[in-house]
Amino acid sequence: MISQNRRSFFKTVIAAGAAMAVSGTGTLAGSAQAAPAGAISGVCLYAPGLGSARDFVESMQKSAPGEWSVQPLSGSLTDCYFQAALLFEDARRGRTNTFVGVLDQASFAVVHEAIVDRGGRFHYVTQNGPDRVTFSVEV
């Protein structure tokens, strides 16, 4: 059996690690800079399991008019990782200047890793409801 002192030590270490992890996630996001009106060429990722991305794309069109490509993520989580990585790399090399998405939590975790693994940074990540995450990535 673990002594009381050891137990409180591990609780302290775990709590400190969790606090550092939470405070560190806020530093990953950069300040958002909007493209000039009508100059947006964007990619919108979405998880088909959440239904249509039409509402999200319509709100993006209203707040950021421009040309939008809607890309559903499909297949296994591994497929989603490589699909997101490819789309992000294409966006960085092409004329795309906006990369956003609406995903479930599992898909977002995979997409987040794919983008961060390629040196990407997020403008914002917002939890909308119990299983809906919206985000914007620096391109």
Side-chain angles (χ1 to χ4, degrees):
M1 194 175 219
I2 296 178
S3 73
Q4 196 67 10
N5 288 339
R6 288 178 109 186
R7 217 179 292 162
S8 70
F9 169 77
F10 285 117
K11 283 181 183 177
T12 303
V13 168
I14 291 170
M20 286 174 50
V22 168
S23 67
T25 58
T27 61
L28 293 176
S31 61
Q33 296 177 355
I40 290 182
S41 175
V43 174
C44 176
L45 296 179
Y46 78 98
L50 293 177
S52 170
R54 185 180 61 202
D55 294 339
F56 184 67
V57 172
E58 284 176 2
S59 76
M60 292 306 296
Q61 279 284 22
K62 288 177 187 171
S63 63
E67 180 184 325
W68 287 93
S69 166
V70 180
Q71 301 290 330
L73 288 179
S74 58
S76 69
L77 291 178
T78 304
D79 295 335
C80 290
Y81 176 93
F82 289 112
Q83 187 179 3
L86 180 64
L87 288 168
F88 179 68
E89 286 295 326
D90 287 347
R92 288 179 92 172
R93 284 192 298 266
R95 61 182 191 85
T96 301
N97 57 22
T98 307
F99 195 90
V100 299
V102 57
L103 301 169
D104 57 86
Q105 291 176 348
S107 297
F108 173 73
V110 170
V111 167
H112 180 273
E113 287 305 309
I115 291 170
V116 170
D117 286 351
R118 277 142 191 87
R121 291 175 38 112
F122 286 77
H123 287 299
Y124 69 84
V125 176
T126 306
Q127 181 77 31
N128 298 345
D131 197 35
R132 189 178 180 101
V133 179
T134 58
F135 64 90
S136 174
V137 178
E138 285 184 28
V139 180

